[in-house]
Amino acid sequence: MSALLQAAACLPLAWAFAVASVSAEAIRRAARRRAPAALPSGEAPAAAPGALRVLVVRPCAGPEPHLERTLRSLAGARLSAAARCVFAVADAGDGAFPVASAAAAALRAAGIPAEVALTAAAAPNRKAAQLAAVVARETAPFDVVLVADSDVDLAGLDLDALVHPLADGARPAPLDAVWAPPVEVAPAASLGDRASAAVLGGSLHAFPLLAGLDPRGLVGKLFAVRAPSLAAAGGFAALTAHLGEDMELSRRLLARRGARGSIAAAPLVAPSLAAGRALRDVIARYARWITVIRAQRPALLASYPALFFATPLIAALALLAAPIAPAPAAAAVAIAVASRVAVAAFAARMAGRRASLLAAAADACLADLVLGAAFLRALSTRTVVWRSGRFTIDRRGLLRKAEA
């Protein structure tokens, strides 16, 4: 019995080693991906970039902070392909409509064809419905659809890194889709903003790190997809009942190709200027993400306590084991805390922030609390409130209107 207790007391140390190893590998892959050569189709396509026709779609809803800046930012991005931009707005009464109209005029003045499309999207997933409506109304041919959420600042971004790997003639073969890991860069205006930035720029859930661990991932904040691949996957219209339309699109693209590697993360990040959120709304947001995992990829659900907010759990387990095995318990806490702070510091750097060790530790604590609360909420209910609608999510990840 004593030997069993001693072995059990070493479990926190083994867990801490495992998390530290995964964290180190995520950092290594993220650092390597920052180099353009790390993109599987990183070479420029054989065809001239200008021969590509890119449809840029920016779904909008409401007068978000910094909306005018972000919608006009395409003029400051690098995109050598021929592009036209469509701002998707539900109706003329939407608060985003006048801003989008002014931004379209500014882009046209800069030589970029741009317009506002009224989509009247009424499906459960309004973003997917907006994207589907824009694609359906297009009469001019296009080779690539580039989707950028309305809070993403495109100024200074190399959008060619998203588009070039999709072109015919790209080597070793054209990809189906390329996405940019999102980070939040706006100064925190609330505790919710600070908490969200801590998750996306101070945890293993930071998408620049997560991109290297999950080759099936695709985050829809900023991504480009080949038009033929999108059509073969059913188009955006097939995604309007899914909460995680980006994850479902990834699943369909990979299932169609039958091979890994048809989706890749680009060697850049998508800077979001989202701001002004309450803490409860941020927790609800990440709970929705985890609910998507629960519905669509349940095998990954255990990764949240095992990896993403493991440090406080390891520390608690080590505290219980300390009377039996004090040295392994202390080592477990030291390894867990050191690797967690290293992840927070590196994720902050990937997000373009300079974080001291104290700030990284604070981000780590806040991110772990948010993810833990979101995880418990996602486990407790399949009902979510999203864009003023109340939905339940079935086992296939489909949204159903919930009873009041």
Side-chain angles (χ1 to χ4, degrees):
M1 182 63 71
S2 176
L4 286 176
L5 286 176
Q6 288 287 342
C10 291
L11 286 177
L13 182 57
W15 188 0
F17 266 121
V19 173
S21 299
V22 172
S23 300
E25 180 63 12
I27 290 173
R28 185 189 69 81
R29 293 184 183 186
R32 189 177 67 175
R33 197 184 63 255
R34 290 295 292 271
L39 196 63
S41 293
E43 299 181 36
L52 273 177
R53 298 161 296 184
V54 178
L55 174 64
V56 180
V57 188
R58 307 206 65 176
C60 307
E64 299 174 336
H66 312 293
L67 186 61
E68 181 176 1
R69 170 182 168 182
T70 57
L71 296 189
R72 293 175 182 237
S73 62
L74 179 60
R78 177 187 173 188
L79 182 59
S80 54
R84 60 185 306 270
C85 181
V86 179
F87 299 116
V89 183
D91 54 62
D94 191 295
F97 179 74
V99 182
S101 299
L107 291 182
R108 289 194 297 269
I112 301 173
E115 62 177 299
V116 179
L118 300 181
T119 59
N125 188 322
R126 287 172 52 189
K127 175 183 174 181
Q130 286 180 310
L131 297 175
V134 170
V135 170
R137 68 189 287 276
E138 282 299 303
T139 56
F142 55 89
D143 306 300
V144 171
V145 180
L146 191 153
V147 177
D149 279 4
S150 56
D151 60 326
V152 174
D153 187 1
L154 301 175
L157 293 189
D158 182 9
L159 298 182
D160 284 342
L162 291 172
V163 171
H164 283 185
L166 308 177
D168 291 335
R171 293 180 291 269
L175 296 177
D176 286 322
V178 181
W179 59 284
V183 298
E184 295 188 354
V185 298
S190 66
L191 179 58
D193 293 341
R194 175 71 191 278
S196 187
V199 173
L200 293 184
S203 78
L204 199 56
H205 204 294
F207 287 109
L209 295 177
L210 198 54
L213 298 177
D214 185 9
R216 293 177 56 193
L218 188 159
V219 180
K221 206 75 172 168
L222 175 61
F223 73 99
V225 58
R226 281 170 57 91
S229 301
L230 176 64
F236 291 118
L239 309 176
T240 57
H242 290 268
L243 175 60
E245 78 287 338
D246 45 6
M247 187 174 295
E248 176 63 15
L249 177 60
S250 170
R251 187 193 69 79
R252 289 169 178 248
L253 291 174
L254 292 172
R256 187 184 69 84
R257 284 284 288 263
R260 293 174 59 180
S262 60
I263 297 174
L268 68 144
V269 295
S272 166
L273 298 181
R277 296 155 294 178
L279 180 60
R280 64 178 179 275
D281 295 331
V282 169
I283 293 174
R285 176 195 186 194
Y286 291 112
R288 288 194 298 270
W289 288 9
I290 298 172
T291 302
V292 172
I293 296 294
R294 178 185 178 189
Q296 297 182 12
R297 299 177 67 183
L300 293 182
L301 193 60
S303 65
Y304 278 84
L307 292 175
F308 297 124
F309 57 92
T311 303
L313 303 180
I314 292 172
L317 195 58
L319 184 63
L320 293 176
I324 302 170
V333 173
I335 292 171
V337 171
S339 64
R340 184 64 186 86
V341 173
V343 163
F346 187 83
R349 179 182 172 189
M350 296 290 287
R353 298 185 292 118
R354 290 185 176 274
S356 64
L357 287 180
L358 184 60
D363 280 350
C365 292
L366 188 54
D368 287 359
L369 287 173
V370 169
L371 288 174
F375 181 78
L376 293 175
R377 179 167 177 169
L379 288 185
S380 66
T381 179
R382 286 182 175 269
T383 300
V384 298
V385 177
W386 187 42
R387 293 187 180 275
S388 302
R390 185 178 175 85
F391 305 95
T392 57
I393 304 176
D394 66 18
R395 295 185 182 278
R396 296 176 298 165
L398 297 178
L399 291 165
R400 307 292 184 191
K401 196 74 174 179
E403 295 182 3

